[in-house]
Amino acid sequence: MSFIGKNIRKIRTVKQLNQSQFAELFGLSRASIGSYEEGRAEPKIDKIIDIAKYFSIELDLILEKELSVNEISGFKLADSKMISGNGNNLLEAKKTKAKRIIYIKHKSEKKFIKHILDDQKWKSDEIELPPTINDNSSIAFEHNDNAMDLNNNGISMSDIVFGKTTNFENIFDGYIYIIVQRDSICLRKAFVNDDKITLKAINVNFQPKIIKKDDVVAIYKITAVIKNSINHFID
């Protein structure tokens, strides 16, 4: 029995991709992804190999068992270890067998923003990425609200979100980004319109927020999420 359908759905949920977004990555249709997840069809082996390679998951795992969140994310927290510096040096990981990147706890958000705006010295925790996974992440944040969580299926409070630096020109409307503003950091679906950006939640209890581009100090594209609890995931 193949678990590929269940695993595609779980990968999508952990990676915060809808069926259309997932399909686009592999040259498939949204309807095909739906049929795989419902067990009505299975992708060809070359597509399964592409999926396994893209998300750095062993081929036998994706075919023969239902993946855990940890197996999909492939991350682990490092011991609490501090680094210090200023400017761009802060965003350079130490060269070790396992790559380390900056980890921004919620309580450190204000200092992080002040560091970007004023180039002030500070200290930051690190998080460790095993060398076997795609290491294009440049920073990680502790998520602090449930705006992107719907019925316990999404990115929840205390989840760890990994990101890679990007800019306005590379924002795709409706995709989820980490937006660093002058007074806060938020995780939302982004929609760019001229000199403004609209930030939308999937939780109906959070209202859309419109901000000026000048109020944004950094943007990160999500590369991975570590769930704080397996209970956040719904099959």
Side-chain angles (χ1 to χ4, degrees), residues 22 29 31 61 73 86 89 94 101 122 127 170-171 212 215:
F22 190 95
S29 67
L61 290 181
S73 62
N86 62 3
N89 291 334
K94 290 184 177 179
I101 61 174
W122 74 313
I127 199 164
N170 291 314
I171 285 181
K212 294 181 179 179
D215 291 331

Side-chain angles (χ1 to χ4, degrees), residues 4-30:
I4 187 63
K6 283 186 176 181
N7 286 334
I8 285 175
R9 186 176 188 276
K10 183 170 282 190
I11 290 169
R12 280 201 308 102
T13 302
V14 172
K15 300 297 184 179
Q16 289 295 295
L17 297 168
N18 61 37
Q19 288 184 341
S20 295
Q21 291 166 342
F22 190 95
E24 185 179 350
L25 289 174
F26 304 104
L28 298 166
S29 67
R30 187 207 62 76

Side-chain angles (χ1 to χ4, degrees), residues 95-153:
K95 294 182 178 179
T96 60
K97 290 183 179 180
K99 178 181 175 181
R100 296 174 183 270
I101 61 174
I102 298 298
Y103 173 43
I104 310 300
K105 295 180 180 179
H106 175 62
K107 65 181 182 181
S108 302
E109 286 184 2
K110 299 292 185 183
K111 292 181 180 179
F112 172 66
I113 295 171
K114 198 167 184 62
H115 158 70
I116 295 178
L117 292 174
D118 302 331
D119 197 29
Q120 290 195 357
K121 291 184 178 180
W122 74 313
K123 291 183 178 180
S124 172
D125 289 305
E126 289 181 298
I127 199 164
E128 186 175 284
L129 288 73
T132 55
I133 65 164
N134 189 323
D135 64 353
N136 62 355
S137 302
S138 59
I139 199 164
F141 295 86
E142 178 187 12
H143 188 48
N144 194 52
D145 63 34
N146 288 315
M148 303 309 296
D149 180 60
L150 185 63
N151 299 323
N152 292 321
N153 193 7

